[in-house]
Amino acid sequence: MLLLLLHFLMCVSPSVLGQLEEFPFEDDIDIDSDFGLEIASRRVPRQVKTILTKETKPHIQELSIKTTIISRYAFTAVYCAMLNRHSAATEGVFQFQIPADAFVSNFTMIVGGRIYQSEVRPKEKRVKQENGKPKKKESGDTSPQSEVEVFRMAVNIPGKNRAVFLLTYEELLQRRLGRYEHVTSLRPMQLVSRLSLDVTIVDHSPITDLKVLPLQNGRSNGASNAATGPNAPNTPVKPEPPIPTVINNEKNVCKITFRPNIVQQARITTNGILGDFVIRYDVQRDMGIGDIQVLNGHFVHYFAPKDLPVVPKNVVFVMDNSASMLGKKTRQTKDALFTILRDLRPGDHFNFISFSSKIKVWQPGRLVPVTPLSVRDAKKFILSLVPSGATNINGAIQAGSSLLRDYLLGPDSNPNSVSLIIFLTDGRPTAGEIQSMAILGNTRSAVQEKFCIFTIGIGNDVDYRLLERMALENCGMMRRIPEEADASAMLKGFYDEIGTPLLSDIRINYTEDSVQYVTQHLFTNYFNGSEIVIAGKLTNQSAESLHVQVTASNNDKSIILETDVPLRHREAETGKHVKAATAAMAAGAKAPGSGATQDLGVALGSLVEDFAERVWGFLSVKEGLRSRLRSQTSEEREEHTHQTTNLSLAYHFLTPLTNIVVEKPEVLTDGTMAQAPTITPGAGESVSPANELPGDADDRRPQKSDGKPDRQTSSLSNMIGKAERKPAKKSITISKTSADGDPHFVVEFPLSKLTVCFNINGEPGHILRLVSDHKYSGVTVNGKLIGAPAPPGSHKQQRTYFSTITIVVDRPRRAYIEVTPKKVILDGRDRMVLPCHSTVAVDSGALSVAVVGKSNVTVTVGGNISFVILLHQYKNPAPYQRDHLGFYISDSKGLSHNCHGLLGQFLYQEVGLAELPAQEGLKPSPVLKVKDRSVPVVQKSRRIYSGTQSVDCWFARNNAAKLIDGQYEDYLMSHMFDTGDGPDGTNRV
C-alpha cells in the first residue's frame, strides 16, 4: 500500500464535521460549552476552569486514539483536534510519542478547512539552503529516545479556527518473558476536553493473561519509565487499571476503553502528562509447528514452542568498571548481578570480566560450573570492584571472546550448549583501540561466529551505534537503559529474556516453488518466552498445501517438526479472523462517544484487511535496516539502502531512510488560507445506474426527509475547501470494452460490428497490464488479481478478481490513481484519499475523479480519455465472495493507435468472422480473423454492468491464445506502477 489518508476524511460523523467547520463565536468564551465538557449533573471544579482559562496555547478539544491489534500486529490511529480561541494566528504543536520499534505510516493535517497530506520521501544528503529561501514543506520530527520516539509538527492556526492532526503508525508486538505488551503514551501536555483510548485485540488463538496496568508515568520529555517496560518486574503498585477503564474480554476478541473526563484527568495530573497506558497479554498456543495465517497472497508464521527442556548455557559477563560507573550505576549493576547469579542453573558455566583501563578476569583461562561455592566466590569478586580509569571496550571484548572460544574448544564443553557474552558499558571507547570500525572488525575475528554477543548501554554517553552493530553482527541484541532508569530491574529483565535458551540453530523452510521473499528464517537461538515471526509471499496460490519444516537442536538431540498447511482452509480461517476484527471495530463505531473515535475505527478497517502483507512489509524493512547496519562494504551498504528505501516508500513507512514531508499552510494577512484543490460534493447519496456516469452536483444541497440540508455533505464542502460548482453534465454511457468479474474480458469492435470475449485465468497476486500507452499518451492501466474459493459445485478450483486498479499518467506531469473497493488514492497536484462509499468529485489538473458512493469511480485524463471502475461490494459476503472491481473503457479518443495491453491492443483493431470448411459429420467452425491469425471461437453470452445487461459475444478459449499478441505471461507486470518503459519494465509485446 502507498499512502493512507484516514478513511473518515469523507465519512466523519456529523458531530466531528461540525468541529471542522469555521467556528464563529465571541471573544468571551463560556468554558463549559466551548470545551465540550461531558460531565453530567456536575459543575467543573473552579481550579480546572482556572487552568483552562489561563491556557495561552491552542486548546486540545479532542484527542482520540484507536488501536487494533490483529495477530500481534498493531495499527494505531491518532486524531487530535486543536482550537485557537484567540483572534490572532497562534502556533499549535502536535506532539505524540510512538514506540521506538513502530513505523509512522501516515500524517495528515486539516487547517483552515484545507487538507495537507503528507508524503514519504527518501532522505537526501544535507545541502546548503540556497539564497536563504524559506522551506515550504516540513518534515515530521521524530527524536530518538530510549524506548519511544516523539513525532512533532508545529503549524500556525488562524484566529478562532481549528486544526486537526491525523497520525497512524504500525508495530509488530514482540513477545518477551511470555507476554506481549502494548504501550500507548497519554501525554497531551494539557487537560483535554474529550480524551479517549480504544484498543481492540483480535487473535486467531484465545487471549490469555490479560492485564491493564496502572498508568506508568515517566519523564515528561518523552522517555518511558524505565521500570515499566517488558523487562521490568511486577510493579509494587495496585494492580487495578486506571479509572475509568472498561475491559471486555471474549476469548479471541478483547476490547479495552479508557475515557477519562476532564475532572478525572485533573485528579491524575493537571499538566496533561498522564503516562503510559500499558496492556499485557499472551495467547493460547499448542506444541508443534506454530500458528500460520494466510491472507491475500501472503503468509505469517508465528513460532513459539513451549514445554521444552532448557539448554545449558556458557555465559561470560563483561562489565564496565570505569570511573564513570561510580555511584548509582555500579550499585544497581551489582544488585542485578547478585540476582542473576541466583538464577544460574546447574549445568551452566560462567565467568566475570571487569574492564576500565585494565582488564580483570575473575577466573582466568576457564569457565566455572554453577555450584554454591562458585556463586559465593563470584559475589565476592563483584563486591570487590571499585570503579576507576578509562574505557577499553576493545580489550574487554577480546578478553571475553578468547575466554569463551578457548572453553568451547576444550574437553569440558557441551556441544549442544548455548554460548553468549553479555557486555555492559556506560561510555564510549577511551582506552586501547578507540575506532569503532576497528573494534567491530576485531570483534568479528575474535567471535568467529561461534557465539553471540548481547550488549547493554547505560545512560546518555554510550556509542549506541557501536553496541547495536556489535550485537547485530554477532547474532545478539542490544538494549538501552536510560540515565535515570532502574538499571537493576532492567538488567535483570534483559537477562531473564535470554537466560533460558530452549533451541539453537533453528532453520524454518517452506515449499520452494510456493513461496518467495521470505523474511529471516534462520535463527541462532530461541529463548523461552519469546517468539519467532516469519512472513513471505505465496507464488503458487493454487497449491493445495504449504509444506513447513522446522529443524533445531535442543539439549542433546536434534528436533524436526514438519507439517502440510492446507492453504485454502487456513485462508478461510484467517478471513474469519479479519472479519472479527472489522466487526469489533464496527461495533465500537456504533457505541456512544466521540465521532472521531468511531470513524478512526472504520479507517483502520481497510488496513486490517491487508495485515498479512503489512507484516511482511514491516519485517522486510526491519531486516533491511539491520542488513544495512551490518554491511561490510560501501557497495553492500548502498544496495541495502536502496532496497530498504524502496520498501519504505512502497508501504509509506517513516524509517531512518525516509522523511515524512507535509506542506505547511500559509496564514495570510487577512486571515485566509491558500486556495485548495477543487473538490465538488456529489449530488447526494443516490446511486446512478451502473452503466451511467453521474452528473456533477447542482446548486442545491441534498435534503433529508425533514427538509433540512444534509449536514454531512454540506459540512464536507467546508472541510475540504471552497468548492467550485460546475454545470451539470449529461450521463455518459460506458463502453462494453471491459474486464469484470472472474475476470471476463469483453472487447467491442464497432467497425466490425462484432463483440469478442475471453477469460484470463491468472494467479492471485498477478498484476495484469490492461492499457499500455505510456510512450504516446502517457497513460498506463494495471490491475491486481485477488483469489477466492470457487462456489460449491463449481468446476473451478478458485476464482480471481481485480482487487486494485492503478492508472498512471505521465503528462503533463506524473500522477496516479489507485482504486480499491473501499478507497481511491489520488496523487496529482495534492495527495488525497477518497472513500468509495461517499459521492464526491475531484479535479486535480492532469486527472479528474468522480466517485458515486458504493457504485462506480470515473477517471478522466485530459478530457478525451475516460475509464469507469465499477465497485462490487458485498454486505454479508459468502466465503467464496470477495469485494472486487470491474474496469470499463468509456472514452479512448486520446489513446494512440500504438496503444497495447490486454484491452488496449483492440481499440483500433478490426476483426473479421469466417467459417472453416465443415469436416465430415461436423458443422462449420467459426473463426475470428485477427491480424494474420485465425482464432477458433464459439458463441457465448456475457453479463456486464453489474449484471444489468447481457451481451452476445464470440468467445476465444485458452487464455485468449492467438487472439492477443504474445502469451498471457507477457502481460504480467512487476508492480502496480510498472509502465513497462524502464530497464525493469515487463512490456515484451
Side-chain angles (χ1 to χ4, degrees):
M1 292 180 62
L2 298 175
L3 275 181
L4 171 68
L5 170 56
L6 292 177
H7 195 81
F8 70 87
L9 288 183
M10 296 293 171
C11 64
V12 288
S13 63
S15 63
V16 179
L17 285 166
Q19 294 177 23
L20 298 176
E21 293 179 303
E22 194 170 333
F23 188 77
F25 51 78
E26 300 298 325
D27 289 342
D28 184 18
I29 299 172
D30 178 75
I31 295 177
D32 288 5
S33 60
D34 183 57
F35 285 90
L37 302 178
E38 299 172 358
I39 307 171
S41 304
R42 295 182 58 183
R43 292 186 61 81
V44 179
R46 183 177 301 170
Q47 56 268 40
V48 175
K49 284 189 178 184
T50 302
I51 293 170
L52 296 177
T53 306
K54 290 183 177 180
E55 189 70 69
T56 57
K57 57 189 177 184
H59 176 66
I60 300 176
Q61 289 188 298
E62 181 165 359
L63 177 62
S64 298
I65 306 158
K66 184 90 174 180
T67 295
T68 297
I69 305 172
I70 181 167
S71 292
R72 307 116 200 195
Y73 192 71
F75 301 91
T76 299
V78 182
Y79 170 100
C80 179
M82 228 176 251
L83 168 67
N84 177 13
R85 298 166 295 164
H86 306 287
S87 301
T90 305
E91 183 181 67
V93 178
F94 170 73
Q95 180 171 300
F96 197 85
Q97 294 180 9
I98 65 169
D101 286 333
F103 289 145
V104 170
S105 54
N106 182 69
F107 177 69
T108 302
M109 299 187 299
I110 306 173
V111 183
R114 181 177 175 184
I115 300 172
Y116 295 87
Q117 173 64 49
S118 68
E119 181 180 357
V120 171
R121 293 182 181 176
K123 272 190 177 176
E124 297 177 359
K125 293 181 179 179
R126 293 187 178 182
V127 294
K128 257 190 173 181
Q129 195 81 1
E130 294 183 10
N131 303 326
K133 292 181 180 178
K135 294 181 181 179
K136 293 187 178 179
K137 298 196 174 186
E138 180 170 310
S139 299
D141 176 30
T142 56
S143 307
Q145 298 285 348
S146 60
E147 300 292 336
V148 298
E149 292 180 347
V150 180
F151 185 96
R152 186 180 185 277
M153 180 63 66
V155 65
N156 278 334
I157 305 175
K160 296 188 177 180
N161 216 317
R162 287 180 172 83
V164 172
F165 303 92
L166 314 169
L167 176 73
T168 63
Y169 61 88
E170 303 172 26
E171 62 176 319
L172 179 65
L173 302 186
Q174 296 182 23
R175 188 168 184 257
R176 295 174 178 169
L177 302 177
R179 67 197 179 198
Y180 304 98
E181 181 173 281
H182 182 263
V183 180
T184 306
S185 174
L186 297 175
R187 292 177 173 84
M189 312 302 288
Q190 59 175 268
L191 297 176
V192 178
S193 296
R194 291 180 296 276
L195 175 64
S196 64
L197 169 64
D198 295 81
V199 179
T200 301
I201 305 172
V202 180
D203 209 284
H204 182 71
S205 305
I207 297 166
T208 63
D209 303 324
L210 179 73
K211 291 181 181 177
V212 178
L213 303 188
L215 287 172
Q216 309 292 295
N217 210 352
R219 292 184 300 171
S220 59
N221 66 349
S224 300
N225 187 355
T228 65
N231 308 323
N234 293 329
T235 49
V237 293
K238 291 183 180 180
E240 290 84 7
I243 298 173
T245 303
V246 177
I247 303 172
N248 183 7
N249 191 0
E250 299 177 359
K251 194 177 179 180
N252 298 73
V253 180
C254 177
K255 300 176 189 175
I256 301 161
T257 61
F258 177 61
R259 297 178 181 175
N261 60 40
I262 204 162
V263 174
Q264 290 166 328
Q265 295 171 50
R267 286 174 180 164
I268 299 170
T269 177
T270 57
N271 62 10
I273 304 175
L274 301 176
D276 291 329
F277 191 91
V278 181
I279 300 170
R280 289 176 182 164
Y281 71 98
D282 198 12
V283 297
Q284 200 174 94
R285 61 191 80 241
D286 300 319
M287 268 295 289
I289 208 76
D291 179 17
I292 298 177
Q293 301 195 26
V294 181
L295 188 68
N296 298 342
H298 292 77
F299 73 90
V300 186
H301 183 186
Y302 304 90
F303 182 61
K306 61 178 184 177
D307 301 329
L308 295 173
V310 177
V311 177
K313 62 181 176 292
N314 313 306
V315 56
V316 176
F317 298 91
V318 182
M319 307 167 296
D320 190 340
N321 196 42
S322 61
S324 57
M325 288 286 291
L326 189 64
K328 179 181 176 182
K329 292 177 185 176
T330 293
R331 287 197 308 274
Q332 291 186 333
T333 301
K334 289 181 177 181
D335 289 342
L337 291 176
F338 292 153
T339 306
I340 289 170
L341 278 169
R342 290 198 300 269
D343 291 344
L344 291 173
R345 295 181 177 86
D348 291 346
H349 289 72
F350 72 107
N351 205 335
F352 283 93
I353 295 177
S354 71
F355 71 95
S356 54
S357 303
K358 298 179 180 180
I359 312 297
K360 187 175 182 180
V361 182
W362 169 50
Q363 296 287 341
R366 66 191 186 117
L367 262 65
V368 179
V370 174
T371 65
L373 184 61
S374 63
V375 169
R376 185 194 66 185
D377 290 344
K379 288 182 178 179
K380 290 181 180 178
F381 172 77
I382 294 169
L383 278 172
S384 68
L385 296 177
V386 179
S388 64
T391 309
N392 187 352
I393 289 178
N394 183 72
I397 287 290
Q398 294 301 306
S401 299
S402 176
L403 193 67
L404 192 49
R405 191 176 62 244
D406 291 346
Y407 172 77
L408 293 176
L409 295 173
D412 298 331
S413 172
N414 181 344
N416 292 311
S417 59
V418 168
S419 301
L420 49 101
I421 289 177
I422 298 178
F423 177 86
L424 179 147
T425 184
D426 76 331
R428 299 171 180 269
T430 57
E433 178 60 67
I434 62 172
Q435 296 298 320
S436 294
M437 295 308 295
I439 294 173
L440 291 170
N442 294 340
T443 302
R444 286 194 301 271
S445 299
V447 171
Q448 299 175 6
E449 299 184 352
K450 295 184 182 298
F451 46 86
C452 301
I453 298 180
F454 295 82
T455 58
I456 304 168
I458 302 179
N460 302 325
D461 299 325
V462 181
D463 186 347
Y464 282 110
R465 185 177 180 83
L466 170 62
L467 295 190
E468 186 174 17
R469 284 199 62 174
M470 189 182 294
L472 285 176
E473 291 178 2
N474 298 282
C475 68
M477 296 185 295
M478 187 269 290
R479 188 59 48 84
R480 301 182 183 205
I481 299 179
E483 188 77 41
E484 73 293 343
D486 183 350
S488 178
M490 294 195 74
L491 279 170
K492 177 59 172 61
F494 185 52
Y495 173 79
D496 287 344
E497 288 185 48
I498 61 177
T500 310
L502 300 182
L503 295 173
S504 61
D505 300 323
I506 306 109
R507 176 185 293 269
I508 304 179
N509 292 322
Y510 307 90
T511 312
E512 283 189 17
D513 60 351
S514 294
V515 299
Q516 63 177 350
Y517 305 124
V518 177
T519 57
Q520 181 184 350
H521 62 106
L522 304 176
F523 302 87
T524 307
N525 300 304
Y526 168 75
F527 298 102
N528 189 39
S530 64
E531 183 173 62
I532 290 172
V533 184
I534 305 165
K537 289 187 177 183
L538 295 171
T539 55
N540 183 10
Q541 293 182 58
S542 61
E544 291 291 333
S545 62
L546 177 68
H547 186 73
V548 184
Q549 183 187 66
V550 179
T551 61
S553 296
N554 167 249
N555 205 347
D556 58 350
K557 62 182 179 179
S558 295
I559 291 178
I560 299 179
L561 303 171
E562 53 188 330
T563 191
D564 290 315
V565 179
L567 287 175
R568 292 179 192 170
H569 174 71
R570 196 56 57 89
E571 180 154 21
E573 284 188 340
T574 307
K576 291 179 183 177
H577 178 191
V578 170
K579 284 181 183 176
T582 53
M585 290 184 292
K590 294 175 184 176
S594 162
T597 304
Q598 297 167 20
D599 293 312
L600 288 178
V602 176
L604 290 177
S606 60
L607 278 178
V608 167
E609 291 175 355
D610 292 323
F611 95 92
E613 182 179 353
R614 304 294 291 183
V615 173
W616 177 84
F618 183 93
L619 287 176
S620 297
V621 171
K622 289 286 186 183
E623 197 171 294
L625 291 172
R626 289 194 297 268
S627 298
R628 175 177 176 267
L629 198 58
R630 287 195 299 259
S631 300
Q632 303 300 316
T633 66
S634 58
E635 291 80 6
E636 186 183 355
R637 179 182 173 84
E638 185 61 33
E639 181 182 355
H640 288 306
T641 299
H642 178 71
Q643 293 175 351
T644 309
T645 300
N646 286 343
L647 268 176
S648 302
L649 297 176
Y651 287 90
H652 202 248
F653 285 152
L654 175 60
T655 71
L657 301 178
T658 57
N659 282 323
I660 275 191
V661 180
V662 61
E663 182 182 357
K664 298 190 75 173
E666 289 184 49
V667 181
L668 305 178
T669 54
D670 61 357
T672 60
M673 307 294 294
Q675 182 67 35
T678 301
I679 297 184
T680 309
E685 295 298 326
S686 59
V687 179
S688 300
N691 63 328
E692 292 185 348
L693 283 178
D696 287 342
D698 57 20
D699 288 332
R700 295 173 299 168
R701 289 178 177 172
Q703 302 291 311
K704 284 187 175 180
S705 57
D706 59 5
K708 296 179 181 179
D710 182 272
R711 183 171 176 79
Q712 178 166 337
T713 309
S714 61
S715 296
L716 184 62
S717 61
N718 290 327
M719 181 182 79
I720 301 298
K722 298 178 180 178
E724 292 184 7
R725 301 293 180 179
K726 298 181 180 180
K729 297 178 181 178
K730 295 182 179 179
S731 296
I732 303 171
T733 302
I734 301 175
S735 163
K736 296 174 184 175
T737 299
S738 59
D740 207 341
D742 197 2
H744 303 313
F745 287 74
V746 176
V747 179
E748 192 175 23
F749 296 92
L751 296 177
S752 307
K753 297 183 179 179
L754 290 172
T755 301
V756 178
C757 51
F758 57 92
N759 293 346
I760 291 294
N761 297 316
E763 294 288 341
H766 280 181
I767 298 170
L768 306 184
R769 185 170 81 249
L770 302 178
V771 177
S772 178
D773 200 30
H774 180 78
K775 292 182 180 178
Y776 302 96
S777 66
V779 174
T780 301
V781 182
N782 295 326
K784 184 177 182 180
L785 296 178
I786 189 175
S794 173
H795 67 282
K796 290 189 173 185
Q797 290 186 336
Q798 72 166 4
R799 301 191 295 177
T800 53
Y801 301 91
F802 284 119
S803 63
T804 309
I805 300 289
T806 301
I807 301 169
V808 181
V809 178
D810 208 42
R811 298 170 192 162
R813 61 180 176 274
R814 182 84 168 185
Y816 73 82
I817 285 182
E818 183 178 356
V819 182
T820 71
K822 293 187 179 293
K823 64 178 180 292
V824 179
I825 299 175
L826 167 62
D827 188 352
R829 191 165 51 209
D830 284 286
R831 193 184 295 253
M832 60 192 69
V833 176
L834 313 173
C836 288
H837 68 263
S838 297
T839 297
V840 67
V842 180
D843 187 354
S844 183
L847 293 170
S848 63
V849 183
V851 181
V852 177
K854 301 180 181 179
S855 177
N856 59 60
V857 177
T858 301
V859 180
T860 304
V861 184
N864 57 2
I865 301 173
S866 185
F867 307 113
V868 176
I869 296 144
L870 300 189
L871 308 171
H872 300 297
Q873 300 174 341
Y874 299 93
K875 188 174 182 180
N876 297 299
Y880 55 85
Q881 292 176 321
R882 297 286 186 273
D883 288 352
H884 63 280
L885 306 171
F887 175 76
Y888 292 76
I889 298 178
S890 177
D891 185 356
S892 60
K893 297 185 186 69
L895 296 171
S896 77
H897 282 69
N898 295 297
C899 184
H900 214 273
L902 285 170
L903 288 175
Q905 64 186 293
F906 300 113
L907 293 177
Y908 296 98
Q909 189 70 256
E910 288 190 47
V911 297
L913 188 66
E915 286 188 349
L916 292 176
Q919 297 181 6
E920 187 176 349
L922 298 175
K923 293 181 179 180
S925 301
V927 295
L928 209 63
K929 295 291 185 179
V930 181
K931 296 183 179 178
D932 57 349
R933 305 186 294 265
S934 295
V935 186
V937 292
V938 296
Q939 260 194 314
K940 276 201 174 184
S941 179
R942 281 276 190 256
R943 296 190 72 82
I944 57 175
Y945 308 150
S946 298
T948 60
Q949 291 189 24
S950 293
V951 57
D952 295 325
C953 59
W954 293 99
F955 178 73
R957 296 188 178 94
N958 303 323
N959 262 8
K962 295 186 179 180
L963 176 66
I964 59 175
D965 295 335
Q967 304 296 320
Y968 158 72
E969 289 76 16
D970 298 327
Y971 297 85
L972 296 182
M973 309 299 277
S974 61
H975 54 81
M976 289 300 292
F977 303 95
D978 188 350
T979 57
D981 63 319
D984 298 325
T986 54
N987 192 353
R988 298 189 292 271
V989 294

